Structures are given as C-alpha cells and as structure tokens.
Amino acid sequence: MVDEDRLLDCLEAIRLNLPDAFNEAVDVVRQKESLLLQAEEYAQDIIEAAQQRAAEILDEMGIIRQAELEASHIRASVQQECEQIQQATLSEIEQMRQKSHQDIEQLRKMAMEECEDIQDGADEYADGVLSNIEQQLNDMLRVIRNGRQRLQNEPTKVTPPQGTANPPKKKA
C-alpha cells in the first residue's frame, strides 16, 4: 500500500523544483543571445570604423585594400568569438539539462524507495494484525474445544417434561 498524500507531496516537490532548472536554462539562453547581440554590435562598430577610415583615405588604394583586409580579419575574428561563445553556451545548457535529468531521476528513485519502505511497513503492520487475530482465534478455538470436551465428559441430567413418559435421548 502507498501513502497517497506522501506520494503527492513528493510529486509536488518535483514539480516545483523543475521550473527552477528550466528558468536557469532560459536565463543562459538569454545571456547567450545578449552576448551575440553585443558581439554583432561590436563587429558592426568595427566595420563602420574601418569603412570611415577607408573613406578618409580613398585616394590611397593600398591603404583601402589594407583596411578591407583588416575589416575582413576582424569580422572573421568576431565571428569565431561568437561561435565559441555559442558553443560554450550550448555546452552549459546541455550540462544543466543533464543535471536536471539526474536530479529528476534521483528524486524518482527516492520516491520509489520511500514507496517501497511504506509498502514494507504496511505489510509488516498487516502481518502483525493478522498474527494477533490468528492468536485470538486459536485462543477462542481452544476455549470452544475445552467447553465441548467438558460437555462430552459430563453426563447431562435432563428432567423429562411433565406429561411425557420417555426422557429425551442424548445425542452423540
């Protein structure tokens, strides 16, 4: 037998703890998006700065080419940083998901162990009650046997009712 209230309390605790883990994961994703936006803005600022610089020295073709190469290099560097940040964020989210899964599994195991303990306790209690009833029934059976034995060992004296000639016969 399972204590329904206790099981419901365990399930409620699991339900209340899960949103925290998911909220943390959502926060990590939001932080990742914020970092990506900042990186993109940073890259855009660098690109705009490079374009402005290139516009100032349009007459010098070598400098313009150098600026384009530099902007391309910076763009590639920023893109690489963004990818690294994204990978780190995804890794953190996966770790949090695995931890949440482990926590849920641990809570489930604890709930199952507690249910088994409750079941074992209920079985022991039922066995004790049945043993007690068995003892009482044995005591009653002994009293009944003793009473019957006394009745069979003692002759019964029955006085015939008035007006009858034959006394009732004793049953075996």
Side-chain angles (χ1 to χ4, degrees), residues 64-143:
I64 291 174
R65 285 187 183 142
Q66 181 66 30
E68 288 175 349
L69 287 174
E70 188 177 326
S72 176
H73 177 63
I74 291 171
R75 187 177 296 132
S77 176
V78 168
Q79 181 65 31
Q80 184 180 5
E81 285 180 35
C82 288
E83 288 174 5
Q84 288 173 349
I85 291 171
Q86 183 179 16
Q87 288 299 323
T89 301
L90 291 174
S91 176
E92 286 179 32
I93 290 172
E94 180 61 22
Q95 288 174 354
M96 291 176 73
R97 186 194 65 76
Q98 288 176 355
K99 172 124 178 49
S100 296
H101 181 70
Q102 289 171 350
D103 289 347
I104 289 169
E105 186 61 26
Q106 184 179 10
L107 285 172
R108 187 192 68 77
K109 284 181 182 178
M110 287 172 47
M112 291 303 294
E113 288 172 2
E114 193 170 320
C115 288
E116 288 173 6
D117 289 345
I118 291 170
Q119 182 66 44
D120 291 344
D123 290 346
E124 287 177 20
Y125 174 76
D127 184 53
V129 169
L130 291 173
S131 176
N132 187 25
I133 291 171
E134 181 182 30
Q135 181 63 40
Q136 289 175 359
L137 287 173
N138 283 334
D139 290 346
M140 286 181 200
L141 187 57
R142 187 175 23 84
V143 168

Side-chain angles (χ1 to χ4, degrees), residues 143-154:
V143 168
I144 291 169
R145 285 182 184 150
N146 288 342
R148 288 189 71 212
Q149 187 176 12
R150 282 181 117 183
L151 288 173
Q152 289 173 359
N153 290 337
E154 292 180 9

